[in-house]
Amino acid sequence: MLTHFIGGLPVAAGHPFPVHDPVTGAVVRQAHEADPEVVDRAVRAAREAARDWAAMPVGERAGWMRRLAEGIESRFDDLVAAEIADTGKPFDQTGTLDIPRGIAHFRAFAEIAAQRPDDAYHLPGVLSYTVRRPLGVVAVIVPWNLPFLLMTWKLAPALVAGNTVVVKPSESTPGSAAVFAEICAEAGLPPGVVNIIFGYGASGQLLVEHPDVDGVTFTGSTRTASTIMRMVADRVKPISFELGGKNAGLVFDDCDLDRAVDGAVQSVFTNGGQVCLCTERLYVQRSIFEEFCARLASRAQEVEPQPMISLEHREKVLSYYALARSEGAKVLTGGGVPAFNDHRDSGYFVEPTVVTGLSEWSRFNREEIFGPVCHVAPFDSETEAIDLANNSDYGLAATLWTTGLDRAHRVAQRLEAGLVWVNTWYLRDLRTPFGGMKLSGIGREGGLQSLDFYSEPTTVTIKLEQPDA
Ligand code: 6OD
Protein backbone atom coordinates (compact mmCIF):
# COMPACT_ATOMS: atom_id res chain seq x y z
CA MET A 1 0.00 0.00 0.00
CA LEU A 2 1.50 3.33 -1.03
CA THR A 3 1.60 5.96 1.69
CA HIS A 4 1.81 9.72 1.34
CA PHE A 5 5.18 11.35 2.03
CA ILE A 6 4.78 14.34 4.31
CA GLY A 7 7.43 16.17 6.32
CA GLY A 8 9.95 13.45 5.40
CA LEU A 9 7.78 10.63 6.77
CA PRO A 10 5.36 8.07 5.34
CA VAL A 11 1.75 8.88 6.22
CA ALA A 12 -0.93 6.19 5.91
CA ALA A 13 -4.25 8.03 5.96
CA GLY A 14 -7.30 8.18 3.70
CA HIS A 15 -9.28 5.54 1.85
CA PRO A 16 -7.36 3.00 -0.21
CA PHE A 17 -7.82 3.04 -3.98
CA PRO A 18 -6.63 0.54 -6.60
CA VAL A 19 -4.07 1.12 -9.35
CA HIS A 20 -4.43 -1.06 -12.46
CA ASP A 21 -1.85 -2.55 -14.79
CA PRO A 22 -3.01 -1.37 -18.24
CA VAL A 23 -1.48 -4.45 -19.87
CA THR A 24 -3.81 -6.87 -18.09
CA GLY A 25 -6.32 -4.74 -16.19
CA ALA A 26 -5.22 -6.43 -12.92
CA VAL A 27 -4.76 -4.39 -9.74
CA VAL A 28 -1.02 -3.81 -9.22
CA ARG A 29 -1.11 -1.80 -6.02
CA GLN A 30 -3.26 0.24 -3.67
CA ALA A 31 -2.64 3.78 -2.53
CA HIS A 32 -4.20 6.07 0.08
CA GLU A 33 -6.42 8.87 -1.16
CA ALA A 34 -5.55 12.25 0.37
CA ASP A 35 -8.48 13.76 2.28
CA PRO A 36 -8.68 17.38 3.52
CA GLU A 37 -6.66 16.58 6.63
CA VAL A 38 -3.85 14.93 4.66
CA VAL A 39 -3.71 17.77 2.15
CA ASP A 40 -3.58 20.35 4.92
CA ARG A 41 -0.83 18.44 6.69
CA ALA A 42 1.23 18.28 3.49
CA VAL A 43 0.85 21.99 2.79
CA ARG A 44 1.74 22.85 6.39
CA ALA A 45 4.85 20.67 6.20
CA ALA A 46 5.87 22.45 3.00
CA ARG A 47 5.25 25.85 4.59
CA GLU A 48 7.30 24.99 7.66
CA ALA A 49 10.25 23.98 5.48
CA ALA A 50 9.92 26.95 3.14
CA ARG A 51 11.83 29.62 5.05
CA ASP A 52 15.07 27.67 5.58
CA TRP A 53 15.00 26.18 2.07
CA ALA A 54 14.54 29.61 0.48
CA ALA A 55 17.30 31.09 2.65
CA MET A 56 19.81 28.45 1.56
CA PRO A 57 22.37 29.73 -1.00
CA VAL A 58 21.43 28.58 -4.50
CA GLY A 59 24.73 26.70 -4.83
CA GLU A 60 23.75 24.56 -1.83
CA ARG A 61 20.32 23.84 -3.26
CA ALA A 62 22.04 22.91 -6.53
CA GLY A 63 24.10 20.43 -4.49
CA TRP A 64 20.88 18.84 -3.23
CA MET A 65 19.65 18.57 -6.82
CA ARG A 66 22.81 16.66 -7.77
CA ARG A 67 22.33 14.35 -4.79
CA LEU A 68 18.76 13.64 -5.91
CA ALA A 69 20.07 12.86 -9.41
CA GLU A 70 22.48 10.36 -7.84
CA GLY A 71 19.63 8.91 -5.79
CA ILE A 72 17.62 8.37 -8.96
CA GLU A 73 20.60 6.64 -10.55
CA SER A 74 20.96 4.33 -7.58
CA ARG A 75 17.24 3.42 -7.63
CA PHE A 76 17.03 3.30 -11.44
CA ASP A 77 15.71 -0.28 -11.65
CA ASP A 78 13.02 0.33 -9.01
CA LEU A 79 11.84 3.44 -10.82
CA VAL A 80 11.73 1.64 -14.16
CA ALA A 81 9.77 -1.24 -12.61
CA ALA A 82 7.29 1.10 -10.91
CA GLU A 83 6.72 3.11 -14.07
CA ILE A 84 6.24 0.01 -16.22
CA ALA A 85 3.82 -1.54 -13.72
CA ASP A 86 1.60 1.56 -13.73
CA THR A 87 1.74 2.49 -17.42
CA GLY A 88 2.50 -0.70 -19.37
CA LYS A 89 5.28 1.14 -21.25
CA PRO A 90 8.05 -0.96 -22.78
CA PHE A 91 11.49 -0.88 -21.13
CA ASP A 92 13.04 0.72 -24.18
CA GLN A 93 11.01 3.84 -23.48
CA THR A 94 11.06 3.90 -19.68
CA GLY A 95 14.73 2.96 -19.40
CA THR A 96 15.96 5.32 -22.09
CA LEU A 97 13.60 8.31 -21.80
CA ASP A 98 11.44 8.59 -18.68
CA ILE A 99 13.89 7.80 -15.89
CA PRO A 100 17.06 9.20 -17.57
CA ARG A 101 15.20 12.48 -18.12
CA GLY A 102 14.58 12.64 -14.35
CA ILE A 103 18.33 12.50 -13.75
CA ALA A 104 18.96 15.05 -16.50
CA HIS A 105 16.39 17.47 -15.03
CA PHE A 106 18.04 17.65 -11.61
CA ARG A 107 21.52 18.07 -13.12
CA ALA A 108 20.46 20.62 -15.76
CA PHE A 109 18.49 22.88 -13.44
CA ALA A 110 21.28 22.74 -10.82
CA GLU A 111 23.63 24.19 -13.45
CA ILE A 112 21.19 26.71 -14.89
CA ALA A 113 20.20 28.10 -11.49
CA ALA A 114 23.69 28.22 -10.03
CA GLN A 115 25.05 30.11 -13.04
CA ARG A 116 22.20 32.54 -13.51
CA PRO A 117 23.36 36.16 -13.22
CA ASP A 118 21.19 38.79 -11.56
CA ASP A 119 19.84 41.63 -13.70
CA ALA A 120 21.20 45.15 -13.26
CA TYR A 121 20.23 48.30 -15.20
CA HIS A 122 22.02 51.62 -15.20
CA LEU A 123 20.90 55.15 -16.02
CA PRO A 124 22.93 58.26 -15.18
CA GLY A 125 22.64 58.54 -11.41
CA VAL A 126 20.27 55.57 -11.17
CA LEU A 127 20.97 51.92 -10.44
CA SER A 128 18.23 49.28 -10.65
CA TYR A 129 18.66 45.62 -9.99
CA THR A 130 16.38 42.68 -9.42
CA VAL A 131 16.39 40.08 -6.71
CA ARG A 132 14.36 36.94 -7.30
CA ARG A 133 12.57 35.13 -4.51
CA PRO A 134 10.72 31.81 -4.66
CA LEU A 135 6.92 31.69 -4.88
CA GLY A 136 6.79 29.71 -1.62
CA VAL A 137 4.76 26.48 -1.61
CA VAL A 138 4.08 25.13 -5.09
CA ALA A 139 1.43 22.53 -5.99
CA VAL A 140 2.73 20.19 -8.68
CA ILE A 141 -0.05 18.29 -10.47
CA VAL A 142 1.37 15.51 -12.63
CA PRO A 143 -0.37 13.57 -15.44
CA TRP A 144 -0.28 9.85 -16.14
CA ASN A 145 1.37 9.75 -19.57
CA LEU A 146 4.97 10.56 -18.58
CA PRO A 147 4.69 10.37 -14.80
CA PHE A 148 8.31 10.49 -13.70
CA LEU A 149 9.54 12.66 -16.57
CA LEU A 150 6.92 15.34 -15.98
CA MET A 151 7.12 15.24 -12.17
CA THR A 152 10.86 15.85 -12.22
CA TRP A 153 10.58 18.38 -15.07
CA LYS A 154 8.62 20.57 -12.64
CA LEU A 155 10.23 19.57 -9.34
CA ALA A 156 13.84 20.27 -10.27
CA PRO A 157 13.40 23.96 -11.22
CA ALA A 158 10.81 24.58 -8.49
CA LEU A 159 13.15 23.24 -5.80
CA VAL A 160 16.36 24.81 -7.02
CA ALA A 161 14.56 28.17 -7.25
CA GLY A 162 13.90 27.84 -3.50
CA ASN A 163 10.31 26.59 -3.34
CA THR A 164 8.98 23.72 -1.31
CA VAL A 165 6.45 21.49 -3.05
CA VAL A 166 3.43 19.28 -2.62
CA VAL A 167 3.19 16.87 -5.53
CA LYS A 168 0.05 15.01 -6.57
CA PRO A 169 0.70 12.36 -9.20
CA SER A 170 -2.17 10.97 -11.24
CA GLU A 171 -4.26 8.35 -9.44
CA SER A 172 -3.34 5.98 -12.30
CA THR A 173 0.44 6.28 -11.91
CA PRO A 174 1.60 6.87 -8.33
CA GLY A 175 4.36 4.23 -8.31
CA SER A 176 7.46 6.13 -9.45
CA ALA A 177 6.56 9.10 -7.22
CA ALA A 178 6.46 6.73 -4.23
CA VAL A 179 9.98 5.51 -5.09
CA PHE A 180 11.07 9.13 -5.45
CA ALA A 181 9.78 9.83 -1.91
CA GLU A 182 12.11 7.10 -0.67
CA ILE A 183 14.97 8.67 -2.64
CA CYS A 184 14.35 12.03 -0.95
CA ALA A 185 14.37 10.35 2.49
CA GLU A 186 17.49 8.31 1.69
CA ALA A 187 19.29 11.45 0.48
CA GLY A 188 18.43 13.20 3.76
CA LEU A 189 16.62 16.07 2.00
CA PRO A 190 15.34 18.44 4.71
CA PRO A 191 11.86 17.25 5.79
CA GLY A 192 8.95 19.09 4.18
CA VAL A 193 10.88 20.31 1.11
CA VAL A 194 9.23 17.59 -1.00
CA ASN A 195 5.82 16.24 -0.01
CA ILE A 196 3.89 13.75 -2.11
CA ILE A 197 0.21 12.95 -1.74
CA PHE A 198 -1.89 10.47 -3.69
CA GLY A 199 -5.47 10.63 -4.84
CA TYR A 200 -7.96 11.54 -7.54
CA GLY A 201 -8.97 14.96 -8.83
CA ALA A 202 -10.73 15.76 -5.54
CA SER A 203 -7.39 15.62 -3.69
CA GLY A 204 -5.86 17.82 -6.39
CA GLN A 205 -8.68 20.32 -5.94
CA LEU A 206 -8.09 20.49 -2.18
CA LEU A 207 -4.43 21.11 -2.89
CA VAL A 208 -4.69 23.87 -5.49
CA GLU A 209 -7.44 25.63 -3.52
CA HIS A 210 -5.49 25.48 -0.26
CA PRO A 211 -4.95 29.10 0.87
CA ASP A 212 -1.33 28.40 1.77
CA VAL A 213 -0.39 27.20 -1.74
CA ASP A 214 1.33 30.00 -3.63
CA GLY A 215 1.49 28.67 -7.19
CA VAL A 216 0.30 25.78 -9.34
CA THR A 217 2.05 23.96 -12.14
CA PHE A 218 0.00 21.51 -14.16
CA THR A 219 0.40 19.37 -17.25
CA GLY A 220 -2.74 17.69 -18.53
CA SER A 221 -5.98 18.36 -20.33
CA THR A 222 -7.24 21.80 -21.29
CA ARG A 223 -10.55 21.05 -19.58
CA THR A 224 -8.89 20.32 -16.22
CA ALA A 225 -6.70 23.40 -16.64
CA SER A 226 -9.69 25.70 -17.02
CA THR A 227 -11.23 24.13 -13.91
CA ILE A 228 -7.99 24.81 -12.02
CA MET A 229 -8.00 28.41 -13.26
CA ARG A 230 -11.42 28.90 -11.75
CA MET A 231 -10.28 27.28 -8.49
CA VAL A 232 -7.35 29.66 -8.07
CA ALA A 233 -8.99 32.77 -9.54
CA ASP A 234 -10.00 34.34 -6.24
CA ARG A 235 -6.45 34.26 -4.95
CA VAL A 236 -4.89 35.04 -8.36
CA LYS A 237 -2.25 32.36 -7.87
CA PRO A 238 0.47 32.08 -10.51
CA ILE A 239 -0.18 29.15 -12.84
CA SER A 240 1.86 27.36 -15.46
CA PHE A 241 -0.10 25.09 -17.79
CA GLU A 242 1.19 22.73 -20.42
CA LEU A 243 -1.89 21.29 -22.08
CA GLY A 244 -3.23 19.33 -25.00
CA GLY A 245 -2.40 19.46 -28.66
CA LYS A 246 -3.81 18.58 -32.05
CA ASN A 247 -0.37 18.68 -33.55
CA ALA A 248 0.25 18.91 -37.28
CA GLY A 249 3.01 17.25 -39.28
CA LEU A 250 3.77 18.78 -42.70
CA VAL A 251 5.43 16.51 -45.26
CA PHE A 252 6.77 18.36 -48.31
CA ASP A 253 7.64 16.60 -51.57
CA ASP A 254 11.29 17.64 -51.20
CA CYS A 255 11.60 15.59 -47.99
CA ASP A 256 13.71 12.51 -47.45
CA LEU A 257 10.71 10.17 -47.63
CA ASP A 258 12.23 7.32 -45.62
CA ARG A 259 13.07 9.71 -42.85
CA ALA A 260 9.65 11.37 -42.99
CA VAL A 261 7.83 8.04 -42.77
CA ASP A 262 10.04 6.93 -39.86
CA GLY A 263 9.45 10.25 -38.13
CA ALA A 264 5.71 10.12 -38.70
CA VAL A 265 5.52 6.61 -37.22
CA GLN A 266 7.44 7.79 -34.18
CA SER A 267 5.48 11.02 -33.75
CA VAL A 268 2.06 9.36 -34.10
CA PHE A 269 2.55 6.11 -32.21
CA THR A 270 5.11 6.73 -29.43
CA ASN A 271 3.63 5.81 -26.04
CA GLY A 272 0.45 4.76 -27.81
CA GLY A 273 -0.03 8.37 -28.93
CA GLN A 274 -0.34 9.38 -25.29
CA VAL A 275 2.09 12.30 -25.41
CA CYS A 276 0.80 15.85 -25.79
CA LEU A 277 3.41 16.32 -28.54
CA CYS A 278 2.19 13.44 -30.73
CA THR A 279 1.07 14.21 -34.27
CA GLU A 280 -2.65 13.67 -34.92
CA ARG A 281 -2.93 15.57 -38.23
CA LEU A 282 -0.57 14.85 -41.09
CA TYR A 283 -0.60 16.99 -44.24
CA VAL A 284 1.30 15.58 -47.22
CA GLN A 285 2.10 17.29 -50.52
CA ARG A 286 -0.20 15.83 -53.17
CA SER A 287 2.53 14.42 -55.44
CA ILE A 288 3.68 12.03 -52.68
CA PHE A 289 0.36 11.64 -50.85
CA GLU A 290 -0.60 8.15 -52.09
CA GLU A 291 2.85 6.70 -51.57
CA PHE A 292 3.18 8.26 -48.12
CA CYS A 293 -0.23 6.95 -47.01
CA ALA A 294 0.56 3.43 -48.22
CA ARG A 295 3.92 3.39 -46.47
CA LEU A 296 2.57 4.85 -43.23
CA ALA A 297 -0.32 2.39 -43.11
CA SER A 298 2.00 -0.52 -43.73
CA ARG A 299 4.42 0.64 -41.02
CA ALA A 300 1.53 1.18 -38.59
CA GLN A 301 0.72 -2.52 -38.89
CA GLU A 302 4.21 -3.31 -37.59
CA VAL A 303 3.91 -1.05 -34.53
CA GLU A 304 3.68 -3.00 -31.28
CA PRO A 305 0.43 -1.79 -29.68
CA GLN A 306 0.83 -0.09 -26.32
CA PRO A 307 -2.01 -0.03 -23.79
CA MET A 308 -4.11 3.03 -23.09
CA ILE A 309 -3.78 4.10 -19.47
CA SER A 310 -7.27 3.03 -18.38
CA LEU A 311 -10.43 1.36 -19.54
CA GLU A 312 -12.10 4.76 -19.61
CA HIS A 313 -9.39 6.22 -21.85
CA ARG A 314 -9.55 3.21 -24.14
CA GLU A 315 -13.32 3.78 -24.50
CA LYS A 316 -12.63 7.41 -25.37
CA VAL A 317 -10.12 6.52 -28.08
CA LEU A 318 -12.42 3.84 -29.48
CA SER A 319 -15.26 6.34 -29.56
CA TYR A 320 -13.10 8.47 -31.90
CA TYR A 321 -12.46 5.46 -34.11
CA ALA A 322 -16.25 5.06 -34.36
CA LEU A 323 -16.66 8.78 -34.91
CA ALA A 324 -14.20 8.69 -37.82
CA ARG A 325 -16.31 6.05 -39.52
CA SER A 326 -19.55 7.90 -38.87
CA GLU A 327 -18.00 11.13 -40.21
CA GLY A 328 -17.11 9.27 -43.43
CA ALA A 329 -13.41 8.46 -43.01
CA LYS A 330 -11.54 5.89 -45.02
CA VAL A 331 -9.71 3.70 -42.48
CA LEU A 332 -6.33 2.76 -44.00
CA THR A 333 -5.38 0.50 -41.11
CA GLY A 334 -6.48 -0.31 -37.56
CA GLY A 335 -9.66 1.10 -36.13
CA GLY A 336 -10.31 -1.64 -33.58
CA VAL A 337 -8.93 -3.65 -30.69
CA PRO A 338 -6.01 -6.05 -31.26
CA ALA A 339 -6.47 -9.73 -30.40
CA PHE A 340 -3.35 -11.21 -28.78
CA ASN A 341 -4.85 -14.45 -27.52
CA ASP A 342 -2.91 -14.09 -24.27
CA HIS A 343 -3.04 -12.18 -20.96
CA ARG A 344 -3.09 -8.84 -22.81
CA ASP A 345 -6.61 -9.44 -24.07
CA SER A 346 -7.95 -8.16 -20.73
CA GLY A 347 -5.78 -5.04 -21.00
CA TYR A 348 -6.54 -1.63 -22.46
CA PHE A 349 -5.14 -1.89 -25.99
CA VAL A 350 -6.35 -0.30 -29.22
CA GLU A 351 -4.98 -0.75 -32.72
CA PRO A 352 -2.59 1.80 -34.22
CA THR A 353 -4.82 3.54 -36.73
CA VAL A 354 -4.48 5.72 -39.82
CA VAL A 355 -7.48 7.38 -41.45
CA THR A 356 -8.03 9.78 -44.31
CA GLY A 357 -10.85 11.55 -46.14
CA LEU A 358 -12.30 13.71 -43.34
CA SER A 359 -13.13 17.40 -43.44
CA GLU A 360 -10.81 19.76 -41.59
CA TRP A 361 -13.88 20.78 -39.60
CA SER A 362 -14.81 17.25 -38.52
CA ARG A 363 -14.73 16.66 -34.77
CA PHE A 364 -12.12 13.97 -35.40
CA ASN A 365 -9.78 16.56 -36.87
CA ARG A 366 -10.42 19.22 -34.27
CA GLU A 367 -10.46 17.40 -30.92
CA GLU A 368 -7.46 15.90 -29.16
CA ILE A 369 -7.78 12.11 -29.13
CA PHE A 370 -4.57 11.13 -27.27
CA GLY A 371 -4.30 7.70 -28.85
CA PRO A 372 -2.24 5.93 -31.55
CA VAL A 373 -4.07 7.53 -34.45
CA CYS A 374 -3.74 10.18 -37.12
CA HIS A 375 -5.62 11.61 -40.06
CA VAL A 376 -3.71 12.22 -43.31
CA ALA A 377 -4.76 14.85 -45.87
CA PRO A 378 -3.14 16.21 -49.05
CA PHE A 379 -2.07 19.81 -49.73
CA ASP A 380 -0.91 21.61 -52.88
CA SER A 381 1.09 24.65 -51.77
CA GLU A 382 3.24 25.83 -48.90
CA THR A 383 0.70 28.50 -47.96
CA GLU A 384 -2.10 25.97 -47.91
CA ALA A 385 -0.01 23.68 -45.70
CA ILE A 386 0.60 26.47 -43.20
CA ASP A 387 -3.08 27.44 -43.17
CA LEU A 388 -4.12 23.83 -42.60
CA ALA A 389 -1.65 23.39 -39.75
CA ASN A 390 -2.75 26.64 -38.10
CA ASN A 391 -6.45 25.84 -38.44
CA SER A 392 -6.68 24.48 -34.92
CA ASP A 393 -7.77 25.63 -31.48
CA TYR A 394 -4.51 24.18 -30.19
CA GLY A 395 -0.93 25.36 -30.70
CA LEU A 396 1.53 23.09 -28.97
CA ALA A 397 3.86 21.38 -31.46
CA ALA A 398 4.36 20.97 -35.20
CA THR A 399 6.76 18.92 -37.28
CA LEU A 400 8.15 19.71 -40.75
CA TRP A 401 9.68 17.25 -43.17
CA THR A 402 11.63 19.02 -45.93
CA THR A 403 15.18 19.28 -47.25
CA GLY A 404 14.62 22.92 -48.26
CA LEU A 405 16.54 25.13 -45.84
CA ASP A 406 14.70 28.31 -46.74
CA ARG A 407 11.36 26.55 -46.64
CA ALA A 408 12.10 25.05 -43.22
CA HIS A 409 12.74 28.46 -41.66
CA ARG A 410 9.98 30.21 -43.60
CA VAL A 411 7.32 27.70 -42.60
CA ALA A 412 8.54 27.16 -39.03
CA GLN A 413 8.29 30.87 -38.32
CA ARG A 414 4.69 31.05 -39.54
CA LEU A 415 3.36 28.10 -37.59
CA GLU A 416 1.22 28.89 -34.57
CA ALA A 417 2.89 26.44 -32.22
CA GLY A 418 5.12 26.76 -29.19
CA LEU A 419 7.45 24.07 -30.58
CA VAL A 420 8.42 23.31 -34.16
CA TRP A 421 10.63 20.35 -35.05
CA VAL A 422 12.29 20.13 -38.48
CA ASN A 423 13.20 16.65 -39.76
CA THR A 424 12.95 15.30 -36.24
CA TRP A 425 10.41 14.95 -33.45
CA TYR A 426 10.63 15.31 -29.68
CA LEU A 427 14.30 16.21 -29.70
CA ARG A 428 14.81 18.19 -26.51
CA ASP A 429 17.27 20.76 -25.22
CA LEU A 430 16.23 21.38 -21.60
CA ARG A 431 17.34 25.02 -21.78
CA THR A 432 14.74 25.99 -24.40
CA PRO A 433 11.27 27.42 -23.71
CA PHE A 434 8.69 24.63 -23.77
CA GLY A 435 4.90 25.05 -23.91
CA GLY A 436 1.99 25.94 -26.12
CA MET A 437 -0.18 28.67 -27.61
CA LYS A 438 -3.99 28.94 -27.78
CA LEU A 439 -5.70 26.06 -25.90
CA SER A 440 -2.33 24.36 -25.46
CA GLY A 441 -1.24 26.28 -22.42
CA ILE A 442 -0.23 29.33 -20.47
CA GLY A 443 3.41 30.23 -19.98
CA ARG A 444 6.57 28.36 -20.83
CA GLU A 445 8.77 26.11 -18.75
CA GLY A 446 12.31 25.00 -19.59
CA GLY A 447 15.64 26.65 -18.79
CA LEU A 448 15.35 30.20 -17.52
CA GLN A 449 11.60 30.25 -18.23
CA SER A 450 11.13 27.63 -15.53
CA LEU A 451 13.21 29.60 -13.05
CA ASP A 452 11.21 32.71 -13.93
CA PHE A 453 7.91 30.98 -13.30
CA TYR A 454 9.00 29.49 -9.98
CA SER A 455 10.26 32.83 -8.64
CA GLU A 456 9.23 36.47 -8.52
CA PRO A 457 11.47 39.47 -9.07
CA THR A 458 11.66 42.48 -6.82
CA THR A 459 13.16 45.48 -8.58
CA VAL A 460 15.30 47.72 -6.38
CA THR A 461 15.99 51.19 -7.77
CA ILE A 462 18.46 53.52 -6.09
CA LYS A 463 18.95 57.20 -6.85
CA LEU A 464 22.66 57.90 -6.57
CA GLU A 465 23.24 61.34 -5.15
CA GLN A 466 25.94 63.24 -7.05
CA PRO A 467 28.59 65.00 -4.91
CA ASP A 468 28.50 68.80 -5.31
CA ALA A 469 30.67 69.87 -8.17
O1 6OD B 1 9.69 16.57 -22.61
C1 6OD B 1 9.28 17.48 -21.89
O2 6OD B 1 10.03 18.27 -21.30
C2 6OD B 1 7.84 17.65 -21.69
N1 6OD B 1 7.49 18.66 -20.87
C3 6OD B 1 6.95 16.84 -22.31
C4 6OD B 1 5.55 16.94 -22.18
C5 6OD B 1 4.76 16.02 -22.73
C6 6OD B 1 3.34 16.03 -22.54
O3 6OD B 1 2.65 15.04 -22.77
Side-chain angles (χ1 to χ4, degrees), residues 313-378:
H313 187 54
R314 180 172 85 154
E315 292 315 306
K316 177 188 159 189
V317 174
L318 289 175
S319 78
Y320 279 96
Y321 289 5
L323 177 69
R325 289 195 175 89
S326 72
E327 288 186 315
K330 182 173 168 196
V331 179
L332 300 184
T333 187
V337 173
F340 298 104
N341 298 318
D342 60 26
H343 62 287
R344 290 172 293 175
D345 286 337
S346 54
Y348 308 146
F349 293 86
V350 298
E351 284 179 330
T353 295
V354 179
V355 307
T356 186
L358 288 176
S359 146
E360 286 308 304
W361 297 99
S362 61
R363 272 187 55 210
F364 189 92
N365 267 330
R366 301 207 63 81
E367 297 175 10
E368 185 187 42
I369 301 171
F370 222 59
V373 58
C374 69
H375 179 266
V376 197

Side-chain angles (χ1 to χ4, degrees), residues 101 145-146 149-150 153 219 242 275-277 426 428 434:
R101 272 287 296 276
N145 62 334
L146 302 169
L149 186 156
L150 286 172
W153 167 245
T219 296
E242 190 189 304
V275 181
C276 57
L277 310 162
Y426 202 6
R428 296 280 287 108
F434 187 99

Side-chain angles (χ1 to χ4, degrees), residues 135-176:
L135 296 178
V137 175
V138 174
V140 179
I141 311 287
V142 186
W144 46 258
N145 62 334
L146 302 169
F148 193 69
L149 186 156
L150 286 172
M151 178 180 75
T152 52
W153 167 245
K154 294 169 180 301
L155 269 188
L159 292 174
V160 82
N163 301 279
T164 57
V165 298
V166 181
V167 184
K168 194 200 84 66
S170 162
E171 66 277 10
S172 303
T173 53
S176 54

